[in-house]
């Protein structure tokens, strides 16, 4: 690509050579994500993955796509760009695991006002770290320089992932029954949802960052903690315990997401004192004067993923997750009803 240069295009705000430089800088990060099925196609027209169907009698592909949302504005404010890529991966692969599938590959899409190769490499570094945590390969992506559409210092980041599961192992919420236990895995913080409200309450873009004793650090640092990726502990759990259904607690919080893992005639009874609520949520609720129901209808409140198991398997599931380094809690049970979720 040494001969690829357009002075006219550069005058319009697009520097194609910066794109080539960004690709070179990100290659070492991408290399970290290569798995057995990934083929080295970075720089080509399509990302390729050789699918291993060993042990799969009826393979089902499961896909997920999402972005980081307005949490990105905190990255702009802080100048820290190497963690939002983890959020991007997490929002996709955590959804895929809810079907019982193993994520195989990931692609990202980065649109920005000005291509600064070093900044692009930092963003992709985060994407690669997310892929490593999820055990999937970053097989490709797209960087689009869009002057006049995005301010020079801003960008948007989205992604797409594909996983696979044997049809016989697809999680089926119809097997859930009243009396089943609901187990929750701790979140790392706010994750990547509800940041329009976060930004409104804390006013970071006008008031700036704050050191908060109750948070043990700065407000901005706490809010930028990336979304926890649950793929590896959940895949391990699937091999040892029969999990009936899984909910990824994202936008819409408990009230929207947990009912998606329950059949008709069943509702979730969640005991809020069964798990710790991180201080950031308490601070957000207090400073914003937000009703408790709105908090549980917007945020994960300390539980990033929840799943149902037979009541006799709940203690074993919690123990196995804790042995894997996860904080897990029995947070409630399934009961008869049509209300969806009741939090007591």
């Amino acid at each position: 690509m040494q001969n690829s240069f357009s002075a006219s295009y550069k005058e319009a705000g697009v520097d194609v050579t910066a794109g080539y430089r960004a690709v070179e800088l990100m290659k070492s990060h991408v290399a970290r994500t290569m798995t057995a099925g990934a083929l080295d196609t970075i720089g080509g027209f399509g990302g390729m993955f050789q699918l291993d169907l060993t042990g799969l009698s009826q393979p089902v592909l499961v896909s997920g796509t999402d972005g980081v949302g307005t949490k990105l504005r905190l990255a702009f404010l802080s100048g820290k760009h190497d963690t939002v890529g983890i959020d991007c991966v997490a929002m996709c692969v955590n959804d895929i695991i809810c079907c019982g599938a193993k994520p195989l590959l990931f692609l990202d899409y980065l649109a920005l006002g000005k291509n600064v190769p070093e900044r692009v490499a930092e963003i992709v570094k985060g994407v690669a770290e997310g892929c490593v945590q999820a055990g999937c390969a970053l097989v490709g992506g797209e960087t689009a320089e869009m002057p006049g559409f995005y301010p020079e210092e801003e960008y948007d980041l989205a992604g797409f992932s594909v996983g696979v599961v044997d049809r016989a192992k697809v999680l089926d919420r119809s097997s859930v029954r009243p009396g089943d236990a609901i187990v929750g895995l701790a979140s790392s913080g706010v994750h990547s949802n509800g940041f329009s409200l976060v930004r409104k309450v804390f006013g970071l873009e006008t008031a700036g960052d704050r050191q908060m004793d109750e948070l043990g650090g700065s407000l901005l640092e706490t809010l930028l903690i990336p979304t926890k990726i649950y793929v590896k502990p959940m895949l391990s759990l699937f091999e040892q315990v029969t999990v009936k259904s899984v909910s990824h607690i994202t936008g819409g919080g408990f009230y929207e997401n947990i009912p998606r893992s329950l059949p008709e005639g069943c509702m979730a009874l969640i005991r809020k004192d069964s798990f710790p609520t991180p201080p950031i949520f308490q601070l957000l609720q207090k400073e914003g004067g937000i009703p408790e129901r709105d908090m549980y209808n917007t945020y994960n409140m300390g539980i990033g993923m929840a799943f149902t198991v037979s009541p006799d398997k709940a203690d074993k599931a919690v123990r196995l997750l804790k042995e894997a380094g996860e904080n897990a809690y029995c947070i409630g049970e399934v009961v008869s009803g049509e209300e969806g979720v009741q939090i007591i």
Side-chain angles (χ1 to χ4, degrees), residues 92-110:
C92 299
V93 298
N94 283 345
D95 280 354
I96 286 176
I97 202 69
C98 292
C99 298
K102 172 182 170 56
L104 298 174
L105 59 90
F106 189 84
L107 294 95
D108 61 1
Y109 175 77
L110 176 62

Side-chain angles (χ1 to χ4, degrees), residues 12-14 109 111-114 144-156:
V14 178
Y109 175 77
L112 32 72
K114 181 177 177 60
E145 191 171 18
M146 302 169 66
F149 194 86
Y150 292 97
E152 286 193 0
E153 297 303 315
E154 296 185 6
Y155 56 85
D156 196 10

